[in-house]
Amino acid sequence: MAKKVKATAARTAVYPGSFDPITLGHVDIIERVARTFDRVIVLIARSPDKQSLFTPEIRKTLIEKSLAHLDNVEVDIHEGLTTDYANRVGALVLVRGLRAVVDFEYEVSMANMNAKLAPDIETLLVFARPEYYFLSSRSVKEVARHQGELSGLVPSPVQDALLKIFKKGKKK
Ligand code: ADP
């Protein structure tokens, strides 16, 4: 017989990632998931060995400013296994976004590893909208570094933060 799961627990979803920085592709996934779940936690992974542009704390502020219009979304920072965090907050769903075929292999292996670590937690893969298919935090940083146009790629608080960093670095 199927194991009974508390209905309330299924209503929290955790969306883990680096978000260095958050893009409009991430925002779109969060808006869509926030319509389905009671509570969505955007979880910034603190990974000491990953080179990042923004500190986790700045990333958190940028995400909060960019998602101020969503009242059931929270932002948190976590170092360690995402499944441990999900268990702690009673979330039964991990959300990930899927863009190109190249995302697939990585996402599948991570979903399987998480399922092994926490069999009760399900990974929900949400397809990126076509207009955000090409968009990644990495490409955004590249555009910003070369003073390219950022509107349509990232929310305005992120645009401002990127402009500040890369204006400073611009050679006169
Ligand atoms: P990670 O470093 O863990 O891959 P990211 O911050 O790059 O974290 O991405 C977090 C999640 O959001 C991943 O599942 C990624 O595939 C997804 N994602 C990234 N960019 C987009 C986008 N443009 N549209 C939809 N999903 C995206």
Side-chain angles (χ1 to χ4, degrees):
M1 209 176 85
K3 210 165 106 185
K4 277 202 173 156
V5 176
K6 256 201 268 156
T8 49
R11 295 193 188 133
T12 299
V14 172
Y15 180 32
S18 312
F19 306 105
D20 184 41
I22 188 167
T23 69
L24 289 180
H26 295 127
V27 172
D28 178 58
I29 297 282
I30 296 161
E31 285 173 347
R32 287 156 64 196
V33 169
R35 285 202 288 269
T36 312
F37 288 85
D38 291 337
R39 182 182 178 213
V40 178
I41 304 174
V42 180
L43 191 64
I44 302 162
R46 188 194 293 280
S47 41
D49 42 53
K50 215 169 172 183
Q51 275 278 59
S52 61
L53 180 64
F54 296 104
T55 64
E57 288 71 21
I58 293 179
R59 279 180 259 162
K60 182 171 186 276
T61 306
L62 292 175
I63 298 172
E64 283 167 347
K65 282 188 188 164
S66 308
L67 300 177
H69 58 298
L70 301 172
D71 58 10
N72 59 340
V73 178
E74 297 157 41
V75 191
D76 205 354
I77 301 170
H78 176 68
E79 185 170 343
L81 295 172
T82 308
T83 47
D84 287 346
Y85 181 93
N87 276 325
R88 184 150 55 78
V89 297
L92 289 176
V93 173
L94 296 179
V95 172
R96 295 285 291 177
L98 203 63
R99 287 161 297 179
V101 184
V102 288
D103 276 348
F104 186 81
E105 217 172 293
Y106 176 65
E107 294 298 341
V108 139
S109 73
M110 198 156 63
N112 280 300
M113 177 54 80
N114 284 333
K116 186 129 191 84
L117 293 169
D120 283 343
I121 297 177
E122 202 56 61
T123 296
L124 179 71
L125 290 176
V126 181
F127 289 106
R129 273 192 211 286
E131 59 265 44
Y132 300 130
Y133 208 67
F134 63 95
L135 193 53
S136 67
S137 301
R138 195 175 149 180
S139 59
V140 159
K141 284 181 274 195
E142 210 44 40
V143 171
R145 189 166 289 127
H146 300 289
Q147 281 77 44
E149 182 55 54
L150 291 168
S151 58
L153 303 180
V154 290
S156 59
V158 177
Q159 274 190 51
D160 297 344
L162 285 169
L163 283 176
K164 240 191 220 163
I165 290 181
F166 290 109
K167 234 200 236 154
K168 264 190 231 156
K170 196 175 173 183
K171 289 197 185 86
K172 305 233 163 73

